[in-house]
Amino acid sequence: MIIKPRFRDFICVTAHPDGCKKNVDMQIDYVKKDKISNKFKRVLIIGASTGYGLSSRIVSTFGWDASTIGVVFEKPGTENRTATAGWYNTVAFERRAIEEGHYAKTINGDAFSEAIKAKTIELIKNDLGKIDLVIYSIASPRRKHPITGELSYSALKPVGESFKNKSVNFHTFEVSDVEIQPANDNEIEQTINVMGGEDLEMWVDKLLNAEVLEKGANVISYSYIGPKITYPIYRNGTIGKAKEDLERVSSKVNEKLKQIGGSAYISINKGLVTQSSSAIPVVPLYISLLGKVLKEKNLEEDSVQQIYRLYSEIASGNVIVDDRGRLRIDDREMRADVQGKIAELWDKVTTENIQQITDINIFRNDFFKLFGFGYEGIDYEKDSETNIEILNLV
Ligand code: NAD
């Protein structure tokens, strides 16, 4: 089938297997430049198929020579429908991992469910015995509660009062003011149900009970803070309430892990283009300014560079830890000079000048690349096989 990008709202509903492979290969090539020595040899990544989770799996495998189990929630392709990008990423990742002699198996299903947790534990017991590191990198718009069966949906809204600011439609480059009404209590609660810490605690409880965490095991969950410009919609909004809950639960989990001499951490990562972040109002404009300013200062990092730095700094003991015990790899994003420049440009940006003063073109290209489109060296006019198997799907 000849595969072209096709959209429903902001979501690209097609993905290109060759482009997804190129994305994975480029990340692997970056990581293979220098190996990182580390004690984590068996890694479980929950949310391993795109964004930060995929990069964590790649750095674990090709940077640390670790064995990985990835839990993902992706759709396979058929003869006349493409798979999701995360499916093709996983196909490409596993092929490379296996070719190069690494253990890598993938579980595809709802990580929030009891069944997928049980399946993961069985696989760990059968194949790896124990896990040294758990990476929790889920971003989801909904969650079915594993006990009550209740469905919750996450909202991307401010809390308390409405929020008006500039936003960009990154397909038309039109800048306009958006006003978003505040969430009600139910929307806040539902967002916490989806993206808060309850599921993380359920995972750790089950892994501890099954005795599949090695002595000294670590659990790292990813979070985001961002600058004042995005506070109303992010950190002080519904998603920020969920992240606060995740961070609170991570401290609780840290206490529980003491029984095996382990620790739980939150890593605050930088904002970048992923399927999740491009859906948040205001954020694409901010990220396209952030990219421009970081590049000018030679400070820009993509997801694999962020995770490579996180793992290297953990290994060397140089990771920045803030007063709340969170690991900070958003230090370059949060530098006063970077944020000062963004604030200055933010006031000036209009539909007329957006392509000059921001990296909106790159944002848009990076968005397409998430789905495997827009890579050089790929013939997008040629027939591609859409129905490709993940080799080690359990
Ligand atoms: P993403 O959308 O690229 O990846 C989400 C992953 O979660 C995918 O592998 C997907 O398959 C998996 N997933 C979703 N629902 C699932 C389910 N029910 N069961 C199993 N797997 C499921 O997201 P991302 O932007 O990489 O975000 C990952 C984490 O990093 C989130 O906690 C996010 O808040 C955090 N983070 C993101 C940014 C950013 O700018 N993108 C910045 C800092 C921190």
Side-chain angles (χ1 to χ4, degrees), residues 218-258:
N218 283 1
V219 175
I220 303 179
S221 308
Y222 295 147
S223 189
Y224 182 64
I225 296 177
K228 290 217 166 65
I229 299 172
T230 60
Y231 269 11
I233 190 69
Y234 197 94
R235 194 64 201 190
N236 294 341
T238 44
I239 182 74
K241 296 288 164 214
K243 287 296 182 190
E244 268 170 26
D245 186 67
L246 179 75
E247 292 171 25
R248 180 187 59 77
V249 170
S250 177
S251 304
K252 195 170 160 200
V253 161
N254 187 45
E255 290 304 310
K256 293 187 180 189
L257 288 171
K258 283 190 177 152

Side-chain angles (χ1 to χ4, degrees), residues 47 49-50 52 73-74 110-111 137 139 223 243 270-272 274 276:
S49 49
T50 54
Y52 278 118
F73 203 19
E74 302 295 344
D110 183 2
S137 184
S223 189
K243 287 296 182 190
K270 84 176 266 277
L272 46 79
T274 65
S276 307

